[in-house]
Amino acid sequence: MEVFAQTIVLSLTYVTIYLLLGTSVSLIFGIMGVLNFAQGDFMTVTAYVSYLGVVTLGVGWLLSGILILPAAVVVGVLFYALILRPMRNHDPELVLVATFGVGILLQGVVQVIWGGNPVGISRSNAAWVVAGVQVPHSLAADLALAGGALLILLWVLNRTRYGREIRATSQDRIGAALTGVNAGRVEFVSVVLAVVLTGVAGLMLTQHQLLTPQVGADLVLKAFAVSILAGLGRLGGLVPAALVLGFSEALVGTYVSESIAQAAVFGAVVLTLLVRPEGFSSVRLRS
Amino acid sequence: MNAARKLLDSRPSRRSFAICALGSLLIGALGLVPWGYESSQFVFEVLILAGVAVSWNVLGGFAGQLSLGHAALFGAGAYFAGTLARTQQVAVPLLLLGAMVGGVLVGCIFALCFRARGAYFAILTLALTAVLHQIVAEYAPGKNDGISFDVFSATSTAPLKYAAGGVGLSVLICWAVTRSRLGMAWRAIRIDVDAARALGVGDLAARIGALMVSSALAGFFGGVYALNLGYLDPPTAFAPTWLLIPLLATVLGGAGTLVGPLVGALLWTSIAHAFPGTWFGGGTAYILEGALLILITLAVKQGVWGVVVQLWNRLTDGSRWWTARRRASSSDVSHEALR
């Protein structure tokens, strides 16, 4: 039972990372109709920026998040202005290949600046012990960060003009444009929002594992899995989808085998796409 | 009309066949050149990549089905050939036949993915590849540690011959198939699947046909690669390399053309070798490759080979290419892009 509880607690970190990444993927897919393979590499870049803050500038982990914000905004603006906007009328499959190109380019930039070897910040192992289960202090920071970021996103989506426009556009692109929604602005705002969310995931990642230029590209598949389970382009079911995926990955990995755990995660994606491609949540971009 | 243009999209004609056959023979002859050790490694890498790229091009270029599953087809071929080589004493051509059968068998599983289209198809093939990778890691002979076998000696030039002959034959096969009824159906569904269906083109049959040809070719090159390597483990056989690089090289060279994948493979391997590192090369190579891909998808669309053909046409037309405007509008560009 203790092993079970410990597995669940430790998996929560990656659940939140998958959740943030998956939300970004879904947001961009919902608005732009683009499956963004570079999303993981955006996380890599922001994670390295946080590493830069901690190790090179010595500002401490949480403060390095302040560096991430402008970095994420710059990446988001460039990504939208140089790739997504000019390619708005292109074949979606060509855009998908272009996002691969962006990802490879970013991996190259990271590798040239920081080298290909794993790097990391010194991490603390401090933990509370609750009923025999170790609860790392870092987990609290993760949950607070991810929860805060998602609450802000919910607030933007539900309570601001931009949010209403984003929801309207994702429901009916032409209808929204006809009622006077500025499609370009909606796209711009949602892409930047998505990259900033990814930046939060990058900040969390630095705290938990060594970074390599490929770290994001490896994790982005899990984000796809989460967003497909909830339904690509839908923000409704992302939290349960991330919980189900993260928990089952961790539990099967602990009790059966790591290979079977990975097979189960992607098997779930295959089954979802075959049986219910629209995903298991019924609401689109609503809280 | 000139020869290069004809090679690209003419109807069956002797001239186009002659050019293609000559090209295939030249590629095959690469296997007979006495390369030094270093350059033979390079040529082998180019040829394997070109072979998988040609295979990807059948499904992703000619038929327009963006596949992210070629790592599984390649890996299946590799594992079938490797396991056969380890357990049976049979001739190499039979091992490679086994690799092709393996590719086709896994290809049959991938036929499931045709339930989805576009981005959903792509992600479905990717997820299925991940599942197959893990299943092999858990249940195949050798499990995660892999298997080793001894078919070729380290200095043997035979793998290069098989790779060169394979690429030459694949190009010829592509030439023949794209000019058959099946190839016409691929072109139709690539340009507009709904219109093609309305005209009575069986789109599922055409897509499955493309998948079968593609998976047999991918399996073959997986087999050659594995036999040359002498050992095999799941991360090698199913490396994302095998789904990414063929796709990227093909788009770079020109998807949906006969020559595009070959040009792309040569270009990609050259960049990766100029800045050594992984299959992608070092960091600088990543930057170059990424930037090139963005440029191609953003502006040039028909790939490096398409640009060469265009320049050639302009020059031979008598008009000056640097003054000629691009006439294509954005809507037919997307169709052009995959030609």
Side-chain angles (χ1 to χ4, degrees):
Chain A
M1 196 57 212
E2 253 172 38
V3 176
F4 180 84
Q6 188 69 65
T7 311
I8 294 279
V9 167
L10 289 181
S11 72
L12 270 175
T13 299
Y14 280 88
V15 167
T16 47
I17 292 179
Y18 297 166
L19 177 61
L20 289 177
L21 259 188
T23 311
S24 320
V25 167
S26 247
L27 196 57
I28 290 187
F29 191 88
I31 299 296
M32 308 288 305
V34 171
L35 199 56
N36 181 18
F37 275 86
Q39 202 72 43
D41 301 296
F42 293 164
M43 180 172 72
T44 311
V45 169
T46 51
Y48 269 93
V49 167
S50 142
Y51 168 78
L52 173 91
V54 175
V55 173
T56 315
L57 306 178
V59 294
W61 172 73
L62 202 56
L63 276 180
S64 72
I66 297 171
L67 286 178
I68 282 186
L69 194 66
V73 171
V74 167
V75 169
V77 169
L78 287 180
F79 182 55
Y80 178 71
L82 298 181
I83 312 288
L84 291 181
R85 192 181 161 85
M87 294 191 82
R88 219 174 350 186
N89 295 323
H90 281 37
D91 233 353
E93 288 156 10
L94 217 54
V95 187
L96 199 153
V97 176
T99 67
F100 270 129
V102 174
I104 293 172
L105 180 74
L106 288 178
Q107 288 175 28
V109 170
V110 167
Q111 193 164 331
V112 165
I113 299 179
W114 286 283
N117 296 326
V119 296
I121 62 174
S122 58
R123 292 154 285 170
S124 83
N125 289 324
W128 298 292
V129 178
V130 181
V133 176
Q134 300 245 334
V135 182
H137 291 178
S138 60
L139 182 62
D142 285 341
L143 291 179
L145 266 176
L150 288 176
L151 280 180
I152 293 174
L153 178 73
L154 276 185
W155 176 77
V156 170
L157 285 180
N158 287 322
R159 289 279 181 272
T160 66
R161 184 196 163 90
Y162 291 130
R164 263 201 307 281
E165 291 181 351
I166 289 174
R167 272 157 42 209
T169 305
S170 85
Q171 277 168 17
D172 186 341
R173 195 180 178 78
I174 297 170
L178 283 175
T179 56
V181 171
N182 182 342
R185 189 175 59 196
V186 166
E187 291 172 354
F188 177 75
V189 170
S190 25
V191 169
V192 172
L193 261 181
V195 181
V196 169
L197 269 188
T198 305
V200 178
L203 179 63
M204 288 160 52
L205 194 71
T206 333
Q207 178 176 229
H208 288 289
Q209 68 171 67
L210 294 176
L211 306 176
T212 66
Q214 275 74 40
V215 65
D218 296 339
L219 281 173
V220 75
L221 294 184
K222 300 287 168 50
F224 284 157
V226 168
S227 51
I228 283 167
L229 225 58
L232 266 175
R234 300 176 181 204
L235 298 187
L238 280 166
V239 175
L243 286 174
V244 167
L245 260 180
F247 287 169
S248 40
E249 184 191 9
L251 289 175
V252 178
T254 305
Y255 287 103
V256 189
S257 92
E258 193 47 44
S259 297
I260 300 287
Q262 300 305 319
V265 166
F266 292 110
V269 173
V270 170
L271 281 182
T272 310
L273 284 174
L274 287 178
V275 179
R276 199 180 152 85
E278 70 274 26
F280 289 99
S281 71
S282 50
V283 240
R284 302 190 59 175
L285 279 178
R286 291 255 177 100
S287 57
Chain B
M1 274 302 214
N2 55 63
R5 190 74 204 158
K6 251 185 179 163
L7 189 65
L8 266 179
D9 62 7
S10 71
R11 290 154 69 181
S13 75
R14 279 183 196 168
R15 194 168 160 195
S16 132
F17 175 74
I19 292 171
C20 185
L22 187 68
S24 302
L25 273 178
L26 280 178
I27 297 171
L30 286 178
L32 302 174
V33 178
W35 305 98
Y37 177 76
E38 284 286 318
S39 44
S40 81
Q41 293 292 311
F42 177 76
V43 174
F44 184 72
E45 236 172 77
V46 173
L47 285 172
I48 288 289
L49 177 52
V52 191
V54 167
S55 145
W56 186 88
N57 189 36
V58 169
L59 189 58
F62 293 131
Q65 309 294 312
L66 188 87
S67 154
L68 297 176
H70 271 64
L73 304 174
F74 182 91
Y79 256 91
F80 267 69
T83 317
L84 263 180
R86 207 171 63 127
T87 51
Q88 316 284 326
Q89 292 292 323
V90 288
V92 176
L94 280 177
L95 293 178
L96 294 177
L97 189 67
M100 288 169 83
V101 171
V104 170
L105 284 179
V106 172
C108 291
I109 305 177
F110 272 86
L112 274 179
C113 302
F114 288 135
R115 202 180 124 70
R117 279 188 195 176
Y120 287 91
F121 173 77
I123 196 87
L124 193 47
T125 54
L126 185 61
L128 199 51
T129 303
V131 173
L132 288 171
H133 175 170
Q134 300 303 337
I135 288 178
V136 167
E138 189 72 18
Y139 297 110
K143 295 197 173 178
N144 251 326
D145 302 328
I147 52 178
S148 62
F149 34 83
D150 199 12
V151 180
F152 296 124
S153 67
T155 53
S156 166
T157 56
L160 192 65
K161 287 185 182 123
Y162 282 109
V167 175
L169 261 180
S170 311
V171 172
L172 214 53
I173 291 172
C174 285
W175 181 88
V177 183
T178 46
R179 274 147 188 81
S180 69
R181 195 180 166 77
L182 182 62
M184 295 297 162
W186 292 348
R187 183 180 280 198
I189 60 170
R190 179 185 69 209
I191 292 173
D192 189 334
V193 65
D194 295 316
R197 283 172 64 139
L199 290 171
V201 175
D203 72 313
L204 187 61
R207 288 196 272 184
I208 289 181
L211 178 63
M212 291 301 125
V213 174
S214 184
S215 50
L217 293 182
F220 177 86
F221 289 103
V224 175
Y225 182 76
L227 294 182
N228 177 55
L229 206 58
Y231 74 89
L232 204 57
D233 56 357
T236 311
F238 289 86
T241 310
W242 302 118
L243 66 91
L244 266 182
I245 300 188
L247 183 170
L248 302 179
T250 308
V251 173
L252 210 58
T257 64
L258 276 178
V259 188
L262 309 177
V263 174
L266 183 60
L267 198 61
W268 188 279
T269 320
S270 306
I271 297 177
H273 270 252
F275 306 94
T278 57
W279 267 82
F280 283 86
T284 319
Y286 274 74
I287 295 180
L288 266 178
E289 288 156 358
L292 258 177
L293 267 171
I294 295 171
L295 203 67
I296 292 281
T297 47
L298 203 60
V300 191
K301 296 173 191 101
Q302 61 277 76
V304 173
W305 178 245
V307 174
V308 172
V309 170
Q310 228 171 28
L311 289 185
W312 175 257
N313 282 347
R314 296 241 172 99
L315 286 176
T316 50
D317 276 354
S319 63
R320 287 170 307 193
W321 59 269
W322 58 88
T323 56
R325 284 265 170 75
R326 254 195 298 143
R327 278 154 300 178
S329 72
S330 68
S331 65
D332 59 31
V333 156
S334 60
H335 298 154
E336 277 293 335
L338 292 168
R339 184 158 298 160

